[in-house]
Amino acid sequence: MAADWVGCLVSIHCGATLGVYQGEVSSVDQTSQTISLRHPFHNGVKCTVPEVTFSAMDIKDLKILEIHKSSTEVPKQNGPDTSSTVTLVSGRKDKGGGGAPVSSTPVMVPNKTEPKPQEGGVSPVPHYSKSYGERHMDMAVQSKGFRRRHNSWSSSCRGPNQATPKKNGLKNGGHMKNRDDECFGDGMDDVPDEDFDFEGNLALFDKAAVFSQIDSSERRGNGARSRGTPGEQTPSRYRHDENILEAKPVVYRQITVPQNGTKEYSTDSGLVVPSISFELHKRLLAAAESHGLSLERRLEMTGICASQMALTLLGGPNRLTPKNVHQRPTVALLCGPHVQGAQGISCGRHLANHEVEVILFLPNFVKMLEAITSELALFGKTGGKLVSNVKDLPETPVDLVINCLDSHENGFLREQPWYKAAADWANQNRAPVLSIDPPVSGQAHAVEAKWSLSLGLPLPLSEGAGRVYLCDIGIPRQVFQEVGIKYHSPFGCKFVIPLHSE
């Protein structure tokens, strides 16, 4: 009876290690309890050996895919369908059908009719039942909703007389078939039956314990916590611009002067900037000049800072663009015959270099300071307009008036006719006024300013000076210390900063 099963197509499941084999039964040995398959397929991939032999001890399950036509008839069961049964004894197939005890659960195999040959003498493709890999794949697709190309017995196995499918009118040879098997014939035993439980696995991760371990390793490595102190509760979140490193307390009074002035200012960041008297300011400039910060260098630095502030007040990049050449801003510069006037001329030169229409007012004098003479020579190369009479100033409002008429030492100039006429013109022009290095509060302001720019450290200015700004003219810290000023720069990344009255 064992020979009756020769020629049947079977599927043998040998467990997770050996996998599933499918093929045609070539021999059954009842004595050694073995079964051999020819043209075997292992997990849907054709084997390189022509025949494989299995021991009954290795067989976990055996299914008959198709009964050979010469095999014996299978006894009928109760019911309308005809089927054949295969009994398993302790994991073994009962090949002899003797009196050995049988399993109480028979495996039903439908009794299929012999397929009819097609026209042309080509045998039809046998309709096999789904293999283990296909059924496993169907379950995975139904549960997860994804597709995976695979190869199984029913999709890749073809009989010896079966015609191969055509592609573009040409038959694919065995080489193409083997290449497809190598590419798509992967085993399906690794496909999981259930979805991965992300929440369950995340719950297994103890974040508190991990961070505690990291914190303890930092203590051992550095000898202290990297953030804060051991008893300090650090915030759980930080801003993108917040420094999380431990820092020293901020000292807002970083500038101290030997004699407290009558007025103090503060920066936008809260740093206290005290004012100094004119005598101390004069000593500071003299000490800087003795170390190489000459008057010419100071004039240049003051002109750059003042012109940068003026350009910002005029509109900056919104006003000074190549597309706006027909609306060039106009600035009227009022200067006196002193160092403050030379600072204004330097500012006018830089403004003219930035395509600003500058009108410079300077009264005629027989003898002028050398600094003014050199600055006028440079200003004349810019194409700016120089006038010595107030009548030559514009009658219409200008964009900005820069006042450099006042001097810290020569107060008698205010009694001069040209001074009064220039001050009256500035007050009647209705243009905003920027004062550069204005005098101290003891002197009245003939021209009401909207902004005032002080140099190095501010003087105690009156309310008529408007909003006070401070510019850095490049005095080193040790020069401040020489005149008794403990100094730390309040400018940060800027050269001109606003000051607020305390």
Side-chain angles (χ1 to χ4, degrees), residues 140-147:
V141 171
Q142 293 176 3
S143 61
K144 298 186 178 181
F146 68 89
R147 296 181 179 180

Coordinates of all heavy atoms in Angstrom, one line a residue, residues 140-147:
A140 N -1.4 37.8 6.9 CA -0.6 39.0 7.2 C -1.2 40.2 6.4 O -1.3 41.3 6.9 CB 0.8 38.8 6.8
V141 N -1.7 39.9 5.2 CA -2.3 41.0 4.4 C -3.6 41.4 5.0 O -3.9 42.6 5.1 CB -2.5 40.5 2.9 CG1 -3.3 41.5 2.1 CG2 -1.1 40.3 2.3
Q142 N -4.4 40.5 5.4 CA -5.7 40.8 6.0 C -5.5 41.6 7.3 O -6.3 42.5 7.6 CB -6.5 39.6 6.3 CG -6.9 38.8 5.0 CD -7.7 37.6 5.3 OE1 -7.9 37.2 6.4 NE2 -8.0 36.8 4.2
S143 N -4.5 41.3 8.1 CA -4.4 41.9 9.4 C -3.7 43.2 9.3 O -3.9 44.1 10.1 CB -3.7 41.0 10.4 OG -2.4 40.7 9.9
K144 N -2.7 43.4 8.4 CA -1.9 44.6 8.3 C -2.2 45.5 7.1 O -1.8 46.6 7.1 CB -0.4 44.2 8.3 CG -0.1 43.5 9.6 CD 1.4 43.3 9.6 CE 1.8 42.6 11.0 NZ 3.2 42.4 11.0
G145 N -2.8 45.0 6.1 CA -3.2 45.8 5.0 C -2.1 46.2 4.1 O -2.0 47.2 3.5
F146 N -1.0 45.3 4.0 CA 0.1 45.6 3.1 C 0.3 44.4 2.2 O -0.2 43.3 2.5 CB 1.4 46.0 3.9 CG 2.0 44.8 4.6 CD1 2.9 44.0 4.0 CD2 1.6 44.6 5.9 CE1 3.4 42.9 4.7 CE2 2.1 43.5 6.6 CZ 3.0 42.7 6.0
R147 N 1.0 44.7 1.1 CA 1.3 43.6 0.1 C 2.8 43.3 0.1 O 3.5 44.3 0.2 CB 0.8 44.0 -1.3 CG -0.7 44.2 -1.3 CD -1.2 44.5 -2.7 NE -2.6 44.7 -2.8 CZ -3.3 45.0 -3.9 NH1 -2.6 45.2 -5.0 NH2 -4.6 45.1 -3.9

